[in-house]
Amino acid sequence: MVNIHPVPAFSDNYIWLLHDDQGRAAVVDPGDANPVITELEARELQLTDIIITHHHFDHVGGLAQLRESYSPRVHGPHNPGIEGIDNRLGDGDRAQVLGLEFEVMAVPGHTLDHIAFFHDGDPPLLFCGDTLFAGGCGRLFEGDPPMMLRSLDTLAALPAPTRVYCAHEYTLANLEFARAVEPGNAALRQRVQDAQDTRARAEPTVPSDIALELATNPFLRCREPALVDSLREQGRLDDASPERVFATVRGWKDSF
Ligand code: ZN
Ligand code: FE
C-alpha cells in the first residue's frame, strides 16, 4: 500500500511524495529539497528513491541536497546534463520504486529528454511532469507540435481511470483557455465549476484522471469533431489534420 501526497514548492509546483507503511518514501521531481526534507521529517520517513521526469531546474534543483542527506536511488532520463542519476531510463524500460513497477514512456516535446512513469495498478498511476497538465499541456521548449502530439497520444491511450499526477497547479488558467477553445463543451463547464470549488478550499486540483482529460483537455481532443468545428467557427483553422489542430491550439495558448 502506497500513499501519495503533494509537497508544494515554489509558486505552483507539486513535488509528489509516495510512501509505504514501513516508513520508506520516494519523491517525484524535487525542484527544492527544503519542503521535501520538512515533509519527510514530519512524517518520519526515509527517502529511498527519487524519480526525475526532465531536466528543468524546478524539477531537479533539490537533487544534490537530497542525495547528500539520504543517499536515495535516482531514476531519470538518459540526458547526461542531469547530474546524479543512478538509473538512466528510456522508452519501454521498467523501474521498481517502493515495490511498485513503473513503465517508462518517452514523451518528448516540452523537453527532448522528458519521460513519464506509469504504474498499472488499482488505480493506475501516471507521473507525467510537465507533459500533460490538468486541462492543458507543457509549452514546447525543445520539441515541435507533431512530437508533442505523439507524446500526448501515448498518454491518452492509458486506461481511463489512470490518475494523472502532473507537476504544476495550472488548472484554472488551463481550463479558462479550454473554455475559449470549446465554449460548448458541457463536461468542461462542469470541470471549471469543480476546479473553482477545489481551489476555493485551497486544495490541489491534481491528480485528475485520463477520462476527465479526454473529455475536457483541448490538447487531447485534436481529433474530436466538436473541437475542430469550434476552431473552424472561430476562423482559426484552415486544415483539420490533428498536427495542424494541435499546433493551432498550442500556438493560441502561448499568447492567451
Ligand atoms: Zn519543465
Ligand atoms: Fe516545471
Side-chain angles (χ1 to χ4, degrees):
M1 177 68 189
V2 167
N3 293 290
I4 307 176
H5 309 278
V7 179
F10 309 114
S11 58
D12 52 35
N13 282 71
Y14 291 131
I15 300 168
W16 294 102
L17 171 75
L18 295 71
H19 70 88
D20 62 18
D21 43 23
Q22 289 141 54
R24 298 183 307 166
V27 289
V28 183
D29 287 350
D32 185 354
N34 294 320
V36 173
I37 291 170
T38 301
E39 195 71 25
L40 290 170
E41 289 179 353
R43 295 179 182 271
E44 299 184 359
L45 298 168
Q46 184 61 32
L47 186 69
T48 62
D49 294 83
I50 294 176
I51 287 173
I52 300 289
T53 63
H54 67 293
H55 69 84
H56 282 159
F57 183 77
D58 62 312
H59 300 252
V60 303
L63 201 45
Q65 195 183 337
L66 291 173
R67 276 172 67 84
E68 211 164 292
S69 306
Y70 297 94
S71 307
R73 182 161 166 79
V74 183
H75 313 264
H78 281 289
N79 181 357
I82 310 173
E83 278 176 43
I85 291 184
D86 308 297
N87 186 22
R88 297 212 178 250
L89 299 161
D91 197 46
D93 287 343
R94 296 187 181 257
Q96 300 286 336
V97 176
L98 302 183
L100 302 182
E101 183 174 79
F102 284 90
E103 180 188 340
V104 176
M105 298 164 164
V107 286
H110 174 69
T111 62
L112 295 179
D113 67 350
H114 207 304
I115 55 177
F117 291 77
F118 173 68
H119 168 66
D120 194 5
D122 182 21
L125 309 173
L126 173 69
F127 295 95
C128 52
D130 289 355
T131 296
L132 175 62
F133 288 130
C137 77
R139 277 178 189 263
L140 305 189
F141 287 114
E142 298 176 10
D144 60 15
M147 181 187 279
M148 186 63 149
L149 178 61
R150 273 196 303 280
S151 295
L152 292 171
D153 283 345
T154 303
L155 301 182
L158 292 173
T162 302
R163 300 253 212 282
V164 178
Y165 291 89
C166 62
H168 290 271
E169 180 63 61
Y170 290 157
T171 313
L172 287 182
N174 285 339
L175 294 178
E176 189 187 342
F177 172 70
R179 289 276 284 150
V181 177
E182 244 189 316
N185 183 330
L188 178 55
R189 195 172 312 132
Q190 182 61 52
R191 186 178 188 182
V192 170
Q193 187 61 58
D194 294 344
Q196 285 172 342
D197 293 348
T198 302
R199 293 308 290 156
R201 296 192 302 269
E203 290 171 10
T205 60
V206 185
S208 65
D209 61 47
I210 289 291
L212 184 59
E213 297 307 326
L214 288 173
T216 57
N217 186 328
F219 298 101
L220 298 191
R221 295 173 57 76
C222 296
R223 293 176 183 79
E224 288 295 323
L227 184 142
V228 174
D229 289 349
S230 179
L231 286 178
R232 273 229 177 82
E233 282 162 23
Q234 299 187 61
R236 293 183 177 272
L237 202 62
D238 36 29
D239 162 7
S241 70
E243 289 75 17
R244 191 70 215 126
V245 173
F246 179 81
T248 299
V249 176
R250 188 59 257 180
W252 183 9
K253 175 70 164 71
D254 287 343
S255 61
F256 186 75

